[in-house]
Amino acid sequence: MKLSTRSQANTGSNLTNHTRQLAKLALPLTAGMLAPLLIGIADVLLVGHVSDAALPAVAFGITLYMFAVTSSQAIAITHQVVVLRPLGDDNRLLASYLLWRSLGIVLITSLTWVALILAFASPLAELMLSSPASKAEAVAWISVRAWGLPAVSVAMVLSVHLQASLKPIYSVVNSITSNTLNVVASAFLIYGFGMLPALGVQGSAYGSILAEAFSVTFMVITYAFLRPISSPGSCWRNVIRNDLPRDYRPILISEFGNVISLNTSEVAFVAILAVVGDAALGAGQVAITVMDVLTALAIAGATAFQILEGRDGGPGTSLFSWRPHVLILVIFILLGALLGTFTQTVASWFTDGSLASLTASGLVLVAVSSPLIWLSAQSAAYLRAWRRSRTVLVATTLAAWAVQVPLAFLLGIVLDLGLTGALIAYVGYHLVRVLIQGLAISRLVRVTAEAGNP
C-alpha cells in the first residue's frame, strides 16, 4: 500500500526521532565501554616496556582474571536483557528485586574466584609459561589483581542497571574517572615517582585496585543520590518467585553458558599461544587488546540497538532503517584500513625490538577482522533483544570450539604458522558467528512476517 504524503512525513519524523534516541544512547555507552579498554591499552603500553618477561606475564594474568569475571558478566548481561524498559512505578519493585539478587550472587562468586586464583595461580603459571621470570611476574601480578574482583563485579551490575534504565551517563562518568585514575596510578607505581617506589609489573595491579575501589564507591554514592531502586526489605516483602519474568532463568542459563564458552575458549587460545612461545603470547596480548577496543566499540553501538529494539518487544515491531547499520559498518571498515596501514607504528607503541615485528604481523589480521567484529556484535544484540540468548550461545560455542580453537591449534602449532595462524582462527570465529546469527535472524523475521506481524 502506498503511503500518503502525511504518512511518509510521519514515518520520516519517527525515523529521525529513532535515530536521535539511538545516538543519545549509543554515544554514552561507547564512551563508557571504551574508557576501560583504553586504560587497558595504557596498562599494556606501560608494562610492555618494563622487560621482556612483563608482557607475557600480564597476558597470562589478564586471561585468568577475565575468566574469573565470567559469572559476573553473565549475571550483568542477563540483568540488562531482562530490565530493558525504563524503570517506572509499575516495575520498579521487580527491577530492584532482580538487582539485589544479582548483587548478592556476584559478591559470593567473586570472593570464591579470589580464593581459587590465589590457590592455583602458581601451578597454572608453571604450566602455561616457559620463562622463570615471566612465571614469577605473572603470579605477582594476578595475586594482587584478584582482590579487585568483588569491586569490579558489583560496579558491573550497577552500571548495566543504569544503562537498562536509559541513564548511562552516570556509568560513563564513573568509567572515565576511575580509569583515568587507573592509568595515572599505574604509571606512578610501575616506574616510581617521588617517594613512591618502582614496583614494576605489580604496580599495574595496585593501580587497578585503587581505581576499582573508587569505581564501586562512586556507583554506591550515585545510587544513594538517585534512589532508582527500592530497599531490599521492600523487594522481598512484595515480590515473590512467581513474579520473575518467565524467561529470566533461561536467559541467565544461556548467557552464563555463552560467557563460559567464550572465556574458556580464550583460555585455550592463550594456552596455544603459550605453546608457540612467550614471544607469541606477548605479541598476541597486544593484538587481543587492540581487538578488544574494536569489540567494545561494536558492543556499545549494538547494545544501543538492543535496548531500543528490546523495548519495542520483538522482530518487526520497531522502526528499522539500514542507514545506521551501513554507516557503522563503513566506519569499521575504515578503522580496519587505518590500523592495517599503521601496524608497525602501533606495534612500536607497545613493545620494542623483534617482538614489535611479530606484533605488527598480528595486528594486520586484527585489521582484517574489523568489519566482522561489528556484524558479530550487532547480530547478537538483535537476538538478545528478541529474547533469543540461546541462539547466541549456540553460535558462540560452535564458532569458538568447532572453529577457533581447533583451527588455532592446527595452523599455529601443527602447521607451525605461530601467531599468524592463531589469529587467522580468530577471524574464522567471527565469520562463523556472523553466518549462524545472520541465518537465525533471517529465519526469525520470516517466521514472524508469516505469522502476520510484519
Side-chain angles (χ1 to χ4, degrees):
M1 181 177 69
K2 187 176 181 180
L3 292 172
S4 66
T5 304
R6 180 176 294 179
S7 297
Q8 289 175 338
N10 288 338
T11 301
S13 175
N14 289 336
L15 280 172
T16 300
N17 183 54
H18 186 75
T19 303
R20 285 174 182 167
Q21 277 188 304
L22 188 63
K24 186 178 179 181
L25 190 58
L27 292 176
L29 284 172
T30 302
M33 289 185 178
L34 267 185
L37 267 300
L38 291 175
I39 299 307
I41 283 186
D43 272 349
V44 175
L45 280 168
L46 292 169
V47 169
H49 295 281
V50 172
S51 68
D52 290 341
L55 202 52
V58 172
F60 165 83
I62 288 174
T63 303
L64 191 57
Y65 180 84
M66 292 308 298
F67 184 76
V69 180
T70 293
S71 53
S72 301
Q73 285 179 315
I75 293 163
I77 292 171
T78 303
H79 188 85
Q80 186 181 60
V81 170
V82 174
V83 191
L84 279 171
R85 301 176 190 277
L87 304 182
D89 293 334
D90 292 340
N91 62 353
R92 173 169 169 157
L93 272 175
L94 178 57
S96 301
Y97 176 70
L98 294 174
L99 177 62
W100 288 114
R101 279 169 53 101
S102 299
L103 289 174
I105 294 170
V106 298
L107 268 176
I108 293 170
T109 54
S110 61
L111 288 170
T112 303
W113 275 114
V114 172
L116 289 172
I117 287 175
L118 295 178
F120 292 102
S122 183
L124 285 173
E126 286 288 337
L127 183 66
M128 294 181 65
L129 297 170
S130 56
S131 164
S134 291
K135 293 174 186 178
E137 295 276 30
V139 173
W141 188 89
I142 193 61
S143 296
V144 174
R145 190 75 174 84
W147 290 104
L149 278 168
V152 166
S153 300
V154 169
M156 187 185 300
V157 174
L158 293 176
S159 180
V160 299
H161 187 86
L162 286 178
Q163 291 169 12
S165 63
L166 304 185
K167 296 176 182 176
I169 188 63
Y170 297 100
S171 59
V172 171
V173 172
N174 174 49
S175 182
I176 293 174
T177 306
S178 62
N179 286 291
T180 300
L181 172 62
N182 186 352
V183 72
V184 172
S186 293
F188 287 165
L189 292 170
I190 289 172
Y191 295 106
F193 181 79
M195 298 180 64
L196 293 174
L199 299 177
V201 173
Q202 269 192 300
S204 169
Y206 281 114
S208 297
I209 292 288
L210 289 173
E212 286 155 2
F214 173 87
S215 176
V216 73
T217 303
F218 180 97
M219 293 301 290
V220 170
I221 292 173
T222 299
Y223 269 73
F225 175 74
L226 292 177
R227 298 185 182 278
I229 57 174
S230 301
S231 67
S234 175
C235 294
W236 260 269
R237 283 195 306 271
N238 295 286
V239 179
I240 59 175
R241 185 180 298 273
N242 292 335
D243 288 327
L244 287 176
R246 290 182 180 180
D247 53 1
Y248 178 82
R249 290 183 183 85
I251 291 174
L252 176 60
I253 292 169
S254 295
E255 292 299 347
F256 191 79
N258 182 62
V259 179
I260 282 282
S261 178
L262 188 59
N263 285 3
T264 50
S265 68
E266 286 291 328
V267 173
F269 182 78
V270 170
I272 290 170
L273 291 179
V275 171
V276 174
D278 282 4
L281 183 59
Q285 179 58 43
V286 175
I288 291 170
T289 301
V290 174
M291 188 178 290
D292 284 344
V293 172
L294 293 174
T295 302
L297 280 172
I299 291 175
T303 300
F305 282 104
Q306 175 186 326
I307 290 174
L308 292 182
E309 182 73 11
R311 292 170 64 197
D312 288 335
T317 57
S318 69
L319 290 169
F320 179 83
S321 171
W322 283 106
R323 286 178 293 179
H325 297 76
V326 173
L327 175 62
I328 298 175
L329 180 59
V330 169
I331 290 172
F332 270 82
I333 292 172
L334 292 175
L335 285 173
L338 188 65
L339 176 61
T341 304
F342 296 101
T343 51
Q344 292 286 350
T345 302
V346 174
S348 67
W349 294 344
F350 290 92
T351 187
D352 307 311
S354 60
L355 198 58
S357 176
L358 184 61
T359 301
S361 66
L363 290 175
V364 171
L365 288 163
V366 175
V368 170
S369 66
S370 181
L372 289 174
I373 290 172
W374 161 246
L375 293 172
S376 178
Q378 178 60 40
S379 53
Y382 269 109
L383 289 168
R384 285 192 172 105
W386 301 336
R387 302 298 203 268
R388 297 300 192 278
S389 290
R390 186 177 298 176
T391 306
V392 179
L393 169 61
V394 171
T396 301
T397 302
L398 287 176
W401 289 102
V403 177
Q404 182 191 358
V405 173
L407 197 59
F409 180 81
L410 175 66
L411 297 177
I413 297 176
V414 177
L415 298 182
D416 200 26
L417 295 179
L419 178 63
T420 301
L423 289 175
I424 288 173
Y426 228 127
V427 177
Y429 161 81
H430 284 294
L431 180 60
V432 170
R433 194 166 182 244
V434 168
L435 289 173
I436 295 173
Q437 292 174 168
L439 288 172
I441 289 173
S442 176
R443 181 180 180 277
L444 187 58
V445 172
R446 185 178 68 253
V447 169
T448 304
E450 290 172 353
N453 184 30

Short mmCIF file of all heavy atoms in Angstrom, two decimals, residues 23-83:
data_model
loop_
_atom_site.label_atom_id
_atom_site.label_comp_id
_atom_site.label_asym_id
_atom_site.label_seq_id
_atom_site.Cartn_x
_atom_site.Cartn_y
_atom_site.Cartn_z
N ALA A 23 21.46 7.59 18.86
CA ALA A 23 22.71 8.33 19.08
C ALA A 23 22.86 8.75 20.54
O ALA A 23 23.94 8.65 21.13
CB ALA A 23 22.75 9.55 18.17
N LYS A 24 21.74 9.19 21.14
CA LYS A 24 21.77 9.63 22.53
C LYS A 24 22.16 8.50 23.46
O LYS A 24 22.82 8.71 24.48
CB LYS A 24 20.40 10.19 22.92
CG LYS A 24 20.34 10.81 24.32
CD LYS A 24 18.96 11.37 24.59
CE LYS A 24 18.89 11.97 25.99
NZ LYS A 24 17.53 12.51 26.28
N LEU A 25 21.74 7.29 23.13
CA LEU A 25 22.05 6.13 23.95
C LEU A 25 23.42 5.55 23.61
O LEU A 25 24.18 5.15 24.49
CB LEU A 25 20.97 5.07 23.74
CG LEU A 25 20.95 3.86 24.67
CD1 LEU A 25 20.83 4.31 26.12
CD2 LEU A 25 19.79 2.96 24.31
N ALA A 26 23.75 5.52 22.30
CA ALA A 26 24.98 4.85 21.85
C ALA A 26 26.24 5.62 22.24
O ALA A 26 27.25 5.02 22.61
CB ALA A 26 24.95 4.65 20.34
N LEU A 27 26.20 6.95 22.16
CA LEU A 27 27.41 7.73 22.42
C LEU A 27 27.90 7.58 23.86
O LEU A 27 29.09 7.33 24.09
CB LEU A 27 27.18 9.20 22.06
CG LEU A 27 27.01 9.45 20.55
CD1 LEU A 27 26.70 10.93 20.29
CD2 LEU A 27 28.25 9.04 19.77
N PRO A 28 27.01 7.71 24.88
CA PRO A 28 27.49 7.47 26.24
C PRO A 28 27.94 6.03 26.47
O PRO A 28 28.93 5.79 27.16
CB PRO A 28 26.26 7.79 27.12
CG PRO A 28 25.41 8.66 26.29
CD PRO A 28 25.61 8.21 24.88
N LEU A 29 27.22 5.08 25.87
CA LEU A 29 27.63 3.68 26.00
C LEU A 29 29.02 3.46 25.41
O LEU A 29 29.85 2.75 25.97
CB LEU A 29 26.62 2.76 25.31
CG LEU A 29 25.30 2.50 26.05
CD1 LEU A 29 24.34 1.74 25.15
CD2 LEU A 29 25.54 1.75 27.34
N THR A 30 29.26 4.08 24.26
CA THR A 30 30.57 3.96 23.61
C THR A 30 31.67 4.52 24.50
O THR A 30 32.71 3.89 24.69
CB THR A 30 30.57 4.69 22.26
OG1 THR A 30 29.54 4.14 21.43
CG2 THR A 30 31.91 4.55 21.56
N ALA A 31 31.42 5.71 25.05
CA ALA A 31 32.41 6.32 25.93
C ALA A 31 32.66 5.46 27.16
O ALA A 31 33.80 5.24 27.57
CB ALA A 31 31.94 7.72 26.36
N GLY A 32 31.58 4.93 27.74
CA GLY A 32 31.71 4.10 28.93
C GLY A 32 32.45 2.81 28.68
O GLY A 32 33.25 2.36 29.51
N MET A 33 32.19 2.18 27.53
CA MET A 33 32.85 0.90 27.22
C MET A 33 34.28 1.10 26.74
O MET A 33 35.15 0.25 26.96
CB MET A 33 32.05 0.14 26.17
CG MET A 33 30.74 -0.40 26.69
SD MET A 33 29.88 -1.43 25.47
CE MET A 33 28.44 -1.93 26.41
N LEU A 34 34.53 2.23 26.08
CA LEU A 34 35.88 2.48 25.58
C LEU A 34 36.85 2.84 26.70
O LEU A 34 38.03 2.48 26.64
CB LEU A 34 35.86 3.61 24.55
CG LEU A 34 35.73 3.22 23.08
CD1 LEU A 34 35.86 4.46 22.22
CD2 LEU A 34 36.79 2.20 22.69
N ALA A 35 36.35 3.55 27.70
CA ALA A 35 37.25 4.05 28.75
C ALA A 35 38.08 2.93 29.38
O ALA A 35 39.31 3.03 29.42
CB ALA A 35 36.46 4.80 29.82
N PRO A 36 37.46 1.84 29.89
CA PRO A 36 38.29 0.79 30.48
C PRO A 36 39.21 0.11 29.49
O PRO A 36 40.32 -0.30 29.83
CB PRO A 36 37.26 -0.21 31.05
CG PRO A 36 35.99 0.09 30.34
CD PRO A 36 36.03 1.54 30.02
N LEU A 37 38.76 -0.01 28.22
CA LEU A 37 39.61 -0.65 27.21
C LEU A 37 40.82 0.22 26.88
O LEU A 37 41.93 -0.27 26.70
CB LEU A 37 38.80 -0.92 25.94
CG LEU A 37 38.15 -2.31 25.84
CD1 LEU A 37 39.19 -3.40 25.87
CD2 LEU A 37 37.12 -2.54 26.92
N LEU A 38 40.59 1.53 26.79
CA LEU A 38 41.70 2.43 26.51
C LEU A 38 42.70 2.43 27.67
O LEU A 38 43.91 2.51 27.46
CB LEU A 38 41.18 3.85 26.26
CG LEU A 38 40.38 4.03 24.96
CD1 LEU A 38 39.82 5.44 24.87
CD2 LEU A 38 41.25 3.73 23.74
N ILE A 39 42.18 2.34 28.89
CA ILE A 39 43.06 2.25 30.04
C ILE A 39 43.81 0.92 30.02
O ILE A 39 44.98 0.82 30.39
CB ILE A 39 42.27 2.42 31.35
CG1 ILE A 39 41.59 3.80 31.37
CG2 ILE A 39 43.18 2.27 32.55
CD1 ILE A 39 42.52 4.95 31.12
N GLY A 40 43.11 -0.14 29.58
CA GLY A 40 43.77 -1.44 29.42
C GLY A 40 44.93 -1.35 28.45
O GLY A 40 46.00 -1.91 28.67
N ILE A 41 44.71 -0.62 27.36
CA ILE A 41 45.79 -0.39 26.40
C ILE A 41 46.93 0.37 27.06
O ILE A 41 48.11 0.06 26.87
CB ILE A 41 45.27 0.38 25.18
CG1 ILE A 41 44.49 -0.56 24.26
CG2 ILE A 41 46.40 1.03 24.40
CD1 ILE A 41 44.04 0.06 22.98
N ALA A 42 46.57 1.38 27.86
CA ALA A 42 47.61 2.15 28.54
C ALA A 42 48.41 1.26 29.47
O ALA A 42 49.64 1.38 29.55
CB ALA A 42 46.97 3.30 29.32
N ASP A 43 47.73 0.37 30.17
CA ASP A 43 48.44 -0.57 31.06
C ASP A 43 49.42 -1.44 30.28
O ASP A 43 50.57 -1.65 30.68
CB ASP A 43 47.44 -1.47 31.79
CG ASP A 43 46.95 -0.84 33.08
OD1 ASP A 43 47.55 0.17 33.49
OD2 ASP A 43 45.99 -1.35 33.67
N VAL A 44 48.94 -1.98 29.14
CA VAL A 44 49.80 -2.83 28.32
C VAL A 44 50.97 -2.01 27.75
O VAL A 44 52.11 -2.49 27.67
CB VAL A 44 48.99 -3.50 27.18
CG1 VAL A 44 49.91 -4.28 26.24
CG2 VAL A 44 47.93 -4.43 27.76
N LEU A 45 50.68 -0.77 27.36
CA LEU A 45 51.76 0.11 26.87
C LEU A 45 52.83 0.31 27.94
O LEU A 45 54.03 0.24 27.67
CB LEU A 45 51.18 1.48 26.48
CG LEU A 45 50.49 1.60 25.12
CD1 LEU A 45 49.72 2.91 25.04
CD2 LEU A 45 51.50 1.51 23.99
N LEU A 46 52.38 0.56 29.18
CA LEU A 46 53.34 0.80 30.27
C LEU A 46 54.13 -0.46 30.60
O LEU A 46 55.35 -0.42 30.75
CB LEU A 46 52.58 1.28 31.51
CG LEU A 46 51.93 2.67 31.43
CD1 LEU A 46 51.01 2.89 32.61
CD2 LEU A 46 53.00 3.76 31.37
N VAL A 47 53.42 -1.58 30.71
CA VAL A 47 54.06 -2.83 31.11
C VAL A 47 54.98 -3.36 30.01
O VAL A 47 56.03 -3.94 30.28
CB VAL A 47 52.99 -3.88 31.47
CG1 VAL A 47 53.61 -5.26 31.62
CG2 VAL A 47 52.28 -3.49 32.75
N GLY A 48 54.59 -3.14 28.74
CA GLY A 48 55.35 -3.69 27.62
C GLY A 48 56.78 -3.21 27.54
O GLY A 48 57.63 -3.87 26.92
N HIS A 49 57.06 -2.08 28.19
CA HIS A 49 58.42 -1.54 28.13
C HIS A 49 59.19 -1.76 29.44
O HIS A 49 60.29 -1.24 29.60
CB HIS A 49 58.36 -0.05 27.80
CG HIS A 49 57.81 0.25 26.44
ND1 HIS A 49 58.56 0.11 25.28
CD2 HIS A 49 56.58 0.62 26.04
CE1 HIS A 49 57.81 0.42 24.23
NE2 HIS A 49 56.60 0.73 24.66
N VAL A 50 58.61 -2.52 30.37
CA VAL A 50 59.30 -2.81 31.63
C VAL A 50 60.41 -3.82 31.40
O VAL A 50 61.56 -3.62 31.78
CB VAL A 50 58.30 -3.32 32.70
CG1 VAL A 50 59.05 -3.82 33.93
CG2 VAL A 50 57.33 -2.22 33.09
N SER A 51 60.05 -4.97 30.78
CA SER A 51 61.03 -6.02 30.50
C SER A 51 60.42 -6.99 29.50
O SER A 51 59.21 -6.97 29.25
CB SER A 51 61.41 -6.76 31.78
OG SER A 51 60.32 -7.51 32.27
N ASP A 52 61.25 -7.87 28.95
CA ASP A 52 60.74 -8.88 28.00
C ASP A 52 59.81 -9.87 28.69
O ASP A 52 58.93 -10.45 28.05
CB ASP A 52 61.93 -9.64 27.38
CG ASP A 52 62.74 -8.78 26.43
OD1 ASP A 52 62.21 -7.74 25.98
OD2 ASP A 52 63.90 -9.12 26.16
N ALA A 53 59.99 -10.06 29.99
CA ALA A 53 59.15 -11.03 30.72
C ALA A 53 57.80 -10.45 31.12
O ALA A 53 56.86 -11.19 31.41
CB ALA A 53 59.88 -11.51 31.97
N ALA A 54 57.68 -9.13 31.12
CA ALA A 54 56.49 -8.48 31.67
C ALA A 54 55.24 -8.72 30.82
O ALA A 54 54.17 -9.01 31.34
CB ALA A 54 56.74 -6.99 31.83
N LEU A 55 55.37 -8.57 29.49
CA LEU A 55 54.19 -8.66 28.63
C LEU A 55 53.58 -10.07 28.63
O LEU A 55 52.36 -10.21 28.79
CB LEU A 55 54.55 -8.22 27.22
CG LEU A 55 53.39 -7.75 26.32
CD1 LEU A 55 52.57 -6.69 27.01
CD2 LEU A 55 53.94 -7.23 25.00
N PRO A 56 54.36 -11.14 28.48
CA PRO A 56 53.76 -12.48 28.60
C PRO A 56 53.14 -12.71 29.98
O PRO A 56 52.11 -13.38 30.10
CB PRO A 56 54.94 -13.43 28.37
CG PRO A 56 55.93 -12.63 27.61
CD PRO A 56 55.77 -11.22 28.08
N ALA A 57 53.76 -12.16 31.03
CA ALA A 57 53.23 -12.35 32.39
C ALA A 57 51.86 -11.71 32.53
O ALA A 57 50.92 -12.31 33.06
CB ALA A 57 54.20 -11.74 33.41
N VAL A 58 51.71 -10.49 32.04
CA VAL A 58 50.43 -9.79 32.12
C VAL A 58 49.40 -10.46 31.20
O VAL A 58 48.21 -10.51 31.52
CB VAL A 58 50.61 -8.30 31.79
CG1 VAL A 58 49.26 -7.60 31.68
CG2 VAL A 58 51.44 -7.63 32.88
N ALA A 59 49.85 -10.98 30.06
CA ALA A 59 48.93 -11.70 29.17
C ALA A 59 48.31 -12.89 29.90
O ALA A 59 47.10 -13.14 29.81
CB ALA A 59 49.68 -12.17 27.93
N PHE A 60 49.14 -13.65 30.63
CA PHE A 60 48.63 -14.76 31.43
C PHE A 60 47.67 -14.27 32.50
O PHE A 60 46.58 -14.81 32.70
CB PHE A 60 49.80 -15.51 32.07
CG PHE A 60 49.39 -16.43 33.19
CD1 PHE A 60 48.94 -17.71 32.92
CD2 PHE A 60 49.46 -16.01 34.52
CE1 PHE A 60 48.55 -18.56 33.95
CE2 PHE A 60 49.08 -16.86 35.55
CZ PHE A 60 48.62 -18.14 35.26
N GLY A 61 48.07 -13.21 33.22
CA GLY A 61 47.26 -12.70 34.32
C GLY A 61 45.91 -12.18 33.86
O GLY A 61 44.88 -12.45 34.49
N ILE A 62 45.90 -11.43 32.76
CA ILE A 62 44.65 -10.89 32.24
C ILE A 62 43.71 -12.02 31.82
O ILE A 62 42.49 -11.96 32.06
CB ILE A 62 44.92 -9.94 31.07
CG1 ILE A 62 45.55 -8.64 31.58
CG2 ILE A 62 43.64 -9.63 30.29
CD1 ILE A 62 45.99 -7.69 30.48
N THR A 63 44.25 -13.05 31.21
CA THR A 63 43.41 -14.19 30.79
C THR A 63 42.76 -14.85 31.99
O THR A 63 41.55 -15.14 31.99
CB THR A 63 44.28 -15.22 30.04
OG1 THR A 63 44.89 -14.59 28.93
CG2 THR A 63 43.41 -16.38 29.55
N LEU A 64 43.53 -15.09 33.03
CA LEU A 64 43.00 -15.72 34.24
C LEU A 64 41.98 -14.81 34.91
O LEU A 64 40.91 -15.26 35.36
CB LEU A 64 44.15 -16.03 35.21
CG LEU A 64 43.84 -16.91 36.42
CD1 LEU A 64 43.26 -18.24 35.98
CD2 LEU A 64 45.11 -17.11 37.26
N TYR A 65 42.27 -13.52 34.95
CA TYR A 65 41.37 -12.55 35.59
C TYR A 65 40.04 -12.48 34.83
O TYR A 65 38.96 -12.50 35.44
CB TYR A 65 42.04 -11.18 35.61
CG TYR A 65 41.20 -10.09 36.25
CD1 TYR A 65 41.20 -9.92 37.63
CD2 TYR A 65 40.42 -9.24 35.48
CE1 TYR A 65 40.44 -8.93 38.22
CE2 TYR A 65 39.65 -8.26 36.06
CZ TYR A 65 39.67 -8.10 37.43
OH TYR A 65 38.91 -7.12 38.01
N MET A 66 40.09 -12.40 33.50
CA MET A 66 38.87 -12.29 32.71
C MET A 66 38.03 -13.57 32.81
O MET A 66 36.80 -13.51 32.79
CB MET A 66 39.20 -11.99 31.24
CG MET A 66 39.78 -10.61 31.02
SD MET A 66 38.78 -9.28 31.74
CE MET A 66 37.25 -9.47 30.83
N PHE A 67 38.68 -14.71 32.94
CA PHE A 67 37.93 -15.94 33.14
C PHE A 67 37.20 -15.90 34.48
O PHE A 67 36.06 -16.37 34.60
CB PHE A 67 38.86 -17.15 33.08
CG PHE A 67 38.14 -18.47 33.19
CD1 PHE A 67 37.44 -18.98 32.12
CD2 PHE A 67 38.16 -19.18 34.38
CE1 PHE A 67 36.77 -20.19 32.20
CE2 PHE A 67 37.49 -20.39 34.48
CZ PHE A 67 36.79 -20.90 33.39
N ALA A 68 37.83 -15.31 35.49
CA ALA A 68 37.21 -15.21 36.81
C ALA A 68 36.00 -14.27 36.81
O ALA A 68 35.10 -14.42 37.63
CB ALA A 68 38.24 -14.73 37.83
N VAL A 69 35.98 -13.32 35.89
CA VAL A 69 34.86 -12.37 35.82
C VAL A 69 33.65 -12.99 35.10
O VAL A 69 32.59 -12.39 35.03
CB VAL A 69 35.31 -11.07 35.10
CG1 VAL A 69 34.19 -10.05 34.99
CG2 VAL A 69 36.46 -10.43 35.85
N THR A 70 33.80 -14.22 34.61
CA THR A 70 32.77 -14.87 33.80
C THR A 70 31.38 -14.80 34.43
O THR A 70 30.41 -14.38 33.80
CB THR A 70 33.14 -16.34 33.56
OG1 THR A 70 34.30 -16.40 32.74
CG2 THR A 70 32.02 -17.08 32.85
N SER A 71 31.27 -15.25 35.66
CA SER A 71 29.95 -15.32 36.29
C SER A 71 29.33 -13.95 36.44
O SER A 71 28.12 -13.76 36.23
CB SER A 71 30.05 -16.00 37.66
OG SER A 71 31.04 -15.38 38.46
N SER A 72 30.13 -12.95 36.79
CA SER A 72 29.60 -11.59 36.93
C SER A 72 29.14 -11.04 35.59
O SER A 72 28.12 -10.35 35.50
CB SER A 72 30.66 -10.67 37.54
OG SER A 72 31.06 -11.14 38.82
N GLN A 73 29.89 -11.32 34.52
CA GLN A 73 29.48 -10.88 33.19
C GLN A 73 28.14 -11.48 32.81
O GLN A 73 27.25 -10.80 32.30
CB GLN A 73 30.54 -11.29 32.16
CG GLN A 73 31.79 -10.45 32.18
CD GLN A 73 32.79 -10.95 31.14
OE1 GLN A 73 33.03 -12.15 31.01
NE2 GLN A 73 33.37 -10.03 30.40
N ALA A 74 27.97 -12.78 33.04
CA ALA A 74 26.73 -13.46 32.67
C ALA A 74 25.54 -12.87 33.41
O ALA A 74 24.48 -12.62 32.83
CB ALA A 74 26.85 -14.95 32.96
N ILE A 75 25.70 -12.64 34.71
CA ILE A 75 24.61 -12.10 35.51
C ILE A 75 24.30 -10.67 35.08
O ILE A 75 23.13 -10.27 34.97
CB ILE A 75 24.97 -12.16 37.00
CG1 ILE A 75 25.05 -13.63 37.44
CG2 ILE A 75 23.95 -11.41 37.86
CD1 ILE A 75 25.76 -13.84 38.75
N ALA A 76 25.33 -9.88 34.80
CA ALA A 76 25.12 -8.50 34.37
C ALA A 76 24.39 -8.44 33.03
O ALA A 76 23.47 -7.64 32.84
CB ALA A 76 26.46 -7.76 34.29
N ILE A 77 24.80 -9.27 32.07
CA ILE A 77 24.15 -9.28 30.76
C ILE A 77 22.69 -9.70 30.89
O ILE A 77 21.80 -9.11 30.28
CB ILE A 77 24.90 -10.21 29.79
CG1 ILE A 77 26.28 -9.64 29.45
CG2 ILE A 77 24.09 -10.41 28.50
CD1 ILE A 77 27.16 -10.59 28.68
N THR A 78 22.43 -10.72 31.70
CA THR A 78 21.06 -11.18 31.91
C THR A 78 20.21 -10.06 32.50
O THR A 78 19.07 -9.83 32.08
CB THR A 78 21.03 -12.40 32.85
OG1 THR A 78 21.84 -13.42 32.30
CG2 THR A 78 19.61 -12.93 33.03
N HIS A 79 20.76 -9.36 33.47
CA HIS A 79 20.03 -8.26 34.10
C HIS A 79 19.69 -7.19 33.06
O HIS A 79 18.57 -6.67 33.03
CB HIS A 79 20.88 -7.66 35.22
CG HIS A 79 20.15 -6.65 36.05
ND1 HIS A 79 19.34 -7.00 37.12
CD2 HIS A 79 20.08 -5.31 35.95
CE1 HIS A 79 18.82 -5.90 37.64
NE2 HIS A 79 19.26 -4.87 36.95
N GLN A 80 20.64 -6.89 32.20
CA GLN A 80 20.41 -5.86 31.18
C GLN A 80 19.35 -6.29 30.18
O GLN A 80 18.50 -5.50 29.79
CB GLN A 80 21.72 -5.56 30.45
CG GLN A 80 21.61 -4.40 29.47
CD GLN A 80 22.93 -4.16 28.76
OE1 GLN A 80 23.45 -5.04 28.09
NE2 GLN A 80 23.49 -2.99 28.94
N VAL A 81 19.38 -7.57 29.77
CA VAL A 81 18.40 -8.07 28.81
C VAL A 81 16.99 -8.04 29.38
O VAL A 81 16.03 -7.64 28.72
CB VAL A 81 18.76 -9.51 28.36
CG1 VAL A 81 17.63 -10.13 27.54
CG2 VAL A 81 20.05 -9.50 27.55
N VAL A 82 16.84 -8.44 30.66
CA VAL A 82 15.51 -8.55 31.26
C VAL A 82 14.95 -7.18 31.64
O VAL A 82 13.77 -6.90 31.46
CB VAL A 82 15.57 -9.48 32.49
CG1 VAL A 82 14.23 -9.49 33.23
CG2 VAL A 82 15.94 -10.89 32.07
N VAL A 83 15.80 -6.30 32.16
CA VAL A 83 15.33 -4.99 32.62
C VAL A 83 15.61 -3.96 31.52
O VAL A 83 16.36 -3.01 31.72
CB VAL A 83 16.02 -4.58 33.94
CG1 VAL A 83 15.34 -3.36 34.55
CG2 VAL A 83 16.00 -5.72 34.93
#
